[in-house]
Amino acid sequence: TASTVDPVWMTSESANSGAPVACEILRALQTGTVITFPLIHWPYSMKSTWMQLLDDGRYKLVDGYLSYTPERIWREYWDNPVLRSLLAIQGEFGAPVALEKDRGPASSALRALDASAIVIFDSPQQDAAAKYISEMLGREAQRAGSCLVFAAR
């Protein structure tokens, strides 16, 4: 019964409409790092971990969980403009998202993470995050089970 489906599904009326659908990333996008949204907050770190496990761990994962990492890693994480904007979208900062400022450094920020895909799980901020990523990358997401997936390269 393990799935990367949003746990809200299990308590909603939609739970009666069928089986949960896991988030699936095309194998071609499993070549680098997969960034997931929302970052940090439970249950999304569990969803990203299950997603990676179901994909046989073929990619690195940026899901917001840093735990016992050196200060250098924390600094790189918080200073990455794409990650900062995603954190702002989910309400971590009082500052608004600056898409105009992110467009220029976005490609180098994604390269620094070796990002091959960005996954947006079902969440209250899914639409806002999808709009930001779509405008930043200039492409649309593909629905992949219970999530949206953007090719980051």
Side-chain angles (χ1 to χ4, degrees), residues 13-90:
E13 290 179 24
S14 65
N16 296 325
S17 67
V21 180
C23 180
E24 298 175 5
I25 301 174
L26 293 174
R27 192 162 181 115
L29 297 178
Q30 297 178 17
T31 59
T33 301
V34 174
I35 300 169
T36 63
F37 177 89
L39 295 160
I40 299 176
H41 293 292
W42 185 91
Y44 301 105
S45 59
M46 294 303 295
K47 291 166 119 183
S48 60
T49 302
W50 271 113
M51 180 183 68
Q52 187 184 39
L53 179 69
L54 292 172
D55 289 330
D56 296 325
R58 286 186 287 268
Y59 48 85
K60 297 170 279 193
L61 191 61
V62 173
D63 62 0
Y65 183 73
L66 296 175
S67 190
Y68 303 103
T69 58
E71 181 63 31
R72 174 187 63 81
I73 302 297
W74 280 98
R75 193 170 36 256
E76 289 174 14
Y77 179 84
W78 293 111
D79 289 345
N80 185 293
V82 174
L83 298 180
R84 284 192 64 80
S85 290
L86 290 174
L87 288 165
I89 288 169
Q90 71 188 53

Side-chain angles (χ1 to χ4, degrees), residues 76-151:
E76 289 174 14
Y77 179 84
W78 293 111
D79 289 345
N80 185 293
V82 174
L83 298 180
R84 284 192 64 80
S85 290
L86 290 174
L87 288 165
I89 288 169
Q90 71 188 53
E92 295 296 320
F93 306 116
V97 176
L99 178 61
E100 298 76 35
K101 285 178 36 182
D102 288 353
R103 275 200 182 107
S107 59
S108 62
L110 292 172
R111 263 193 316 276
L113 295 169
D114 187 30
S116 58
I118 301 171
V119 171
I120 303 176
F121 293 115
D122 294 338
S123 71
Q125 300 88 11
Q126 184 181 38
D127 291 343
K131 183 177 187 284
Y132 165 75
I133 297 297
S134 179
E135 290 178 11
M136 181 187 60
L137 295 176
R139 66 180 67 106
E140 296 299 314
Q142 299 299 312
R143 176 137 306 266
S146 65
C147 63
L148 300 173
V149 178
F150 288 90

